[in-house]
Amino acid sequence: MTMQANVKNINGWSKKRVGEIATRIVVRAGTSSTPYIEIGDIDVERKQYSVKDKPSPGICVSAENKDVIVSKVRPTRGAVVQLQRRAFVSPAFSVLRAASADDADFLFYALSREDFFRYLGTLETGTTYPSCDDKDVENYEISFPENQKERKKVAEIISAINI
């Protein structure tokens, strides 16, 4: 599957890969880091997570408020959330940090779409625990408004209607 980045779209929007608008976070933390979030803590219907202040069982990734986390294990299930606090997450997640809080909101909504999960499904490997790679997440193309005020407004509207 070829990825075309920066191709102009309607009304000043362009196609950009996730890796062009967000940085994948790989800051590792050790065993017993809290609060720890694993795949089972994600409510895929509501795109929310629970925090139980349980310690991490092993190496995990340090994530910050507004980071978007995407499950690489059983990716078609739709486990994607935006953090509302600092947490430590399972390495089964891709942790993405946008350049700004407004862009983080836009990124979260762009990755909450069924198209994204279908895309990951075409790339997953394995049968018991199908999974995809961080690069698969980073290579996904989204329509991206070049104007930051427009990105903020889009994110506000989507948030208001609770998608």
Side-chain angles (χ1 to χ4, degrees):
M1 177 175 281
T2 60
M3 300 293 147
Q4 295 178 351
N6 296 320
V7 176
K8 280 294 177 194
N9 204 345
I10 299 173
N11 297 325
W13 288 42
S14 62
K15 292 283 190 180
K16 291 200 176 188
R17 289 179 297 109
V18 168
E20 292 179 279
I21 62 171
T23 303
R24 183 170 52 94
I25 303 303
V26 293
V27 177
R28 303 284 186 206
T31 303
S32 299
S33 297
T34 60
Y36 179 67
I37 300 171
E38 57 193 358
I39 304 297
D41 296 328
I42 306 299
D43 179 335
V44 297
E45 296 299 318
R46 297 184 313 152
K47 302 291 184 236
Q48 295 178 354
Y49 63 95
S50 59
V51 174
K52 300 178 190 122
D53 287 326
K54 61 187 169 202
S56 65
I59 298 297
C60 58
V61 179
S62 180
E64 299 294 330
N65 180 44
K66 295 297 229 174
D67 285 351
V68 176
I69 61 174
V70 177
S71 175
K72 299 178 292 183
V73 176
R74 293 185 302 222
T76 58
R77 186 172 158 259
V80 59
V81 296
Q82 184 178 38
L83 297 181
Q84 300 304 312
R85 65 180 282 189
R86 182 171 194 256
F88 300 95
V89 302
S90 163
F93 288 107
S94 272
V95 179
L96 303 167
R97 185 168 299 152
S100 72
D102 294 334
D103 288 351
D105 293 342
F106 185 87
L107 178 66
F108 169 66
Y109 292 119
L111 298 182
S112 296
R113 297 173 40 89
E114 203 56 45
D115 290 350
F116 176 57
F117 307 125
R118 280 194 298 272
Y119 159 82
L120 292 179
T122 67
L123 301 170
E124 68 184 16
T125 59
T127 53
T128 305
Y129 289 103
S131 62
C132 61
D133 190 69
D134 288 307
K135 286 292 181 193
D136 298 331
V137 174
E138 292 175 290
N139 284 332
Y140 181 67
E141 282 187 340
I142 64 172
S143 293
F144 190 77
E146 293 299 327
N147 183 299
Q148 186 173 23
K149 288 181 182 177
E150 191 172 357
R151 291 192 300 271
K152 180 178 180 176
K153 189 65 174 174
V154 168
E156 286 174 357
I157 291 168
I158 293 171
S159 178
I161 59 175
N162 262 340
I163 289 181

